[in-house]
Amino acid sequence: MLKRLLDKLESERMPLLGPNVKALKFWGLLLPKKMLPRNLYMLLHLLVIIFTATEYVDIWFIKSDINLLLNNLKITMLATVSVIKVMTFLFWQKHWKSIIQYVNKADLAQRITDNRIKKLTIEKYTRYCRRITYLYWALMYTTVIIVMVQPIYKYAALPTYRELVRNGSQPYMQVVSSWVPFNKNTIPGHITASFIQSFASIYGGGWITSFDTNAMVIMVFFKGELELLKIDCGDIFGTESNPVSDNVANIRLHNCHKRYVELIKYIRLFDSCLSPIMLLYMFVSSVMLCATAYQITVETSAMQRFLTTEYLIFGVAQLFIYCWHSNDLFYASRQLINGPYNSMWWNRNKYCQKDIQLLIGQFNKTIVFSAGPFTDLTVATFINILKGAYSYYTLLQQSQETTVSK
């Protein structure tokens, strides 16, 4: 049954991006052309954005309780990044569609090949894209389900908490900390608030999964295209046993140049769309990871610790995947220069050798995605963010211990 469902996500016209584009359309990031569904999606987007604003309003009412405040912050800041992702995707819809069309066109062009190594490379990165897409969806919705069932579990499994709620000493635990214009501590009010919060969590989860997996698959494609370009550059003059004429070699060289120029153009466009979001997300991740780590240490319930740890894993994985794939692209760009050197340039005339030198000079640049104008997205950057989050966590823990001792 699961295989049948996943097969429906595939598309012959989009063999690489099929499931990702369908997810973008399902969650309304790629808006339909018809006005009615288009306006309906815009309304849903607006409602979730308003809901995110109510999460900030609720901070005012819970600011005296450090645990409630941290719980609010770790989810609210993640929701804020999701809102920014959607708003920028809608605002730059033309750019995103252009990137998706380029990736699909370039991918289809490379799949028509008899080269065994290229076929294996394409199959490898396609399988990888499917795995990372489906695993990320699973991780995201596991997190959403955990967030939704936490209040039910706490009420059912902890008699002390249940008694405190019944006598009014403690409020009901919320799915997501948000403000509503009615009393959340009555049973009807709590159920209504939980329904609203659950809907926002599910829809927000759809935003995150569709945007992130689409971006990640595009990053994987860029790396794969560099690897395929390296293979084609090595075959510009044919092989020692089967050399090609100067005219054919000239056509191949110009094709490699054209592909590289087009690839760089769309990498830069993609980076311009993603970079502002990554800058915000680096800051948000530090706060979110710090808050979640602190909650794990102060939580007394083993199950609550487990649930909070899963949320921490999701937060770390979300940032790590971006840094990892950007790091992969960086090293693939460094290896691209070896492609022309692998060709049979040494037995050609000086004019062909000069053309190869020009191509090598063009390839002699590193490619890496950025987080604003301040830093690159690499594994080293990810480690620095973890170090920063740990420093904030230590500072927060020490301040709380000082407050308790006084």
Side-chain angles (χ1 to χ4, degrees):
M1 181 179 176
L2 179 61
K3 187 178 184 303
R4 200 179 308 149
L5 177 64
L6 296 180
D7 287 341
K8 287 184 178 180
L9 295 173
E10 299 294 337
S11 170
E12 290 184 3
R13 294 187 298 111
M14 304 188 83
L16 181 67
L17 282 170
N20 307 96
V21 170
K22 286 183 179 179
L24 289 171
K25 289 179 177 178
F26 181 81
W27 294 108
L29 273 73
L30 282 175
L31 293 170
K33 293 181 180 179
K34 293 183 179 179
M35 288 305 296
L36 181 60
R38 186 185 185 93
N39 290 336
L40 180 60
Y41 273 121
M42 292 300 290
L43 176 62
L44 289 173
H45 294 333
L46 179 62
L47 291 175
V48 177
I49 290 169
I50 292 171
F51 175 81
T52 303
T54 67
E55 294 182 80
Y56 281 99
V57 172
D58 201 53
I59 291 175
W60 174 260
F61 298 99
I62 61 171
K63 62 182 184 294
S64 58
D65 189 321
I66 186 66
N67 288 325
L68 290 178
L69 180 63
L70 290 176
N71 194 56
N72 177 295
L73 282 175
K74 74 178 185 182
I75 295 177
T76 301
M77 298 192 81
L78 183 61
T80 303
V81 175
S82 301
V83 167
I84 299 299
K85 284 177 181 178
V86 171
M87 290 177 68
T88 56
F89 197 97
L90 296 175
F91 187 73
W92 295 326
Q93 184 104 151
K94 183 180 177 181
H95 295 327
W96 280 106
K97 283 183 177 179
S98 175
I99 294 166
I100 290 169
Q101 287 168 2
Y102 160 73
V103 169
N104 187 52
K105 179 184 173 183
D107 177 61
L108 286 172
Q110 292 306 310
R111 287 176 187 270
I112 306 170
T113 180
D114 295 325
N115 188 306
R116 187 179 64 85
I117 298 175
K118 288 180 69 175
K119 280 185 176 181
L120 290 174
T121 302
I122 293 167
E123 289 173 6
K124 182 181 177 182
Y125 73 63
T126 302
R127 284 197 306 270
Y128 178 78
C129 287
R130 289 296 179 273
R131 273 200 300 268
I132 196 169
T133 295
Y134 297 143
L135 286 173
Y136 192 85
W137 288 0
L139 180 60
M140 176 70 241
Y141 277 100
T142 300
T143 305
V144 169
I145 291 168
I146 285 173
V147 168
M148 289 170 57
V149 302
Q150 262 188 314
I152 300 172
Y153 163 77
K154 191 170 182 179
Y155 189 84
L158 302 177
T160 307
Y161 163 75
R162 191 161 58 242
E163 187 59 35
L164 290 172
V165 168
R166 284 174 180 170
N167 63 30
S169 302
Q170 194 167 332
Y172 286 102
M173 182 182 182
Q174 300 179 73
V175 173
V176 177
S177 180
S178 67
W179 175 83
V180 288
F182 50 80
N183 188 357
K184 294 180 289 187
N185 289 318
T186 63
I187 292 178
H190 179 65
I191 291 172
T192 305
S194 296
F195 176 79
I196 295 169
Q197 293 161 0
S198 297
F199 166 76
S201 298
I202 293 169
Y203 205 80
W207 278 359
I208 294 172
T209 52
S210 56
F211 182 96
D212 285 350
T213 53
N214 177 66
M216 291 167 192
V217 169
I218 290 173
M219 292 168 83
V220 172
F221 167 78
F222 287 147
K223 180 204 169 186
E225 181 68 359
L226 286 174
E227 291 177 343
L228 295 174
L229 185 58
K230 178 185 171 184
I231 295 169
D232 286 338
C233 286
D235 195 40
I236 286 175
F237 301 113
T239 60
E240 197 168 358
S241 60
N242 187 26
V244 299
S245 66
D246 287 349
N247 286 336
V248 173
N250 219 19
I251 292 170
R252 290 183 178 182
L253 189 144
H254 282 296
N255 284 338
C256 289
H257 164 75
K258 183 181 176 182
R259 277 173 60 194
Y260 183 76
V261 170
E262 194 173 24
L263 177 63
I264 292 298
K265 172 187 171 182
Y266 283 98
I267 284 176
R268 287 175 177 168
L269 180 61
F270 177 81
D271 189 44
S272 68
C273 292
L274 191 67
S275 182
I277 299 168
M278 288 291 94
L279 178 62
L280 174 64
Y281 191 64
M282 283 174 62
F283 169 73
V284 167
S285 291
S286 298
V287 177
M288 186 181 71
L289 297 178
C290 164
T292 310
Y294 176 77
Q295 283 188 308
I296 292 171
T297 59
V298 299
E299 186 60 60
T300 55
S301 167
M303 182 55 74
Q304 284 293 115
R305 280 188 178 181
F306 169 76
L307 298 178
T308 308
T309 301
E310 196 280 337
Y311 190 89
L312 178 64
I313 291 170
F314 170 72
V316 172
Q318 193 176 18
L319 179 62
F320 175 74
I321 289 172
Y322 277 106
C323 292
W324 178 266
H325 290 115
S326 179
N327 205 72
D328 265 1
L329 183 72
F330 169 76
Y331 283 105
S333 70
R334 296 286 296 271
Q335 293 295 318
L336 180 60
I337 199 172
N338 292 331
Y341 281 122
N342 291 337
S343 68
M344 304 287 292
W345 61 269
W346 44 268
N347 68 351
R348 293 288 169 153
N349 60 52
K350 63 180 181 180
Y351 300 106
C352 290
Q353 291 179 4
K354 282 183 179 180
D355 287 338
I356 284 293
Q357 285 179 338
L358 289 173
L359 190 65
I360 289 169
Q362 188 181 32
F363 289 173
N364 193 23
K365 62 175 72 172
T366 54
I367 305 168
V368 66
F369 296 116
S370 60
F374 303 110
T375 187
D376 294 330
L377 277 179
T378 61
V379 173
T381 304
F382 172 76
I383 293 170
N384 287 333
I385 292 170
L386 291 185
K387 289 179 179 177
Y390 181 74
S391 299
Y392 301 149
Y393 158 75
T394 305
L395 185 63
L396 178 63
Q397 192 176 43
Q398 288 175 350
S399 64
Q400 285 301 110
E401 287 174 357
T402 304
T403 303
V404 171
S405 64
K406 287 181 180 180

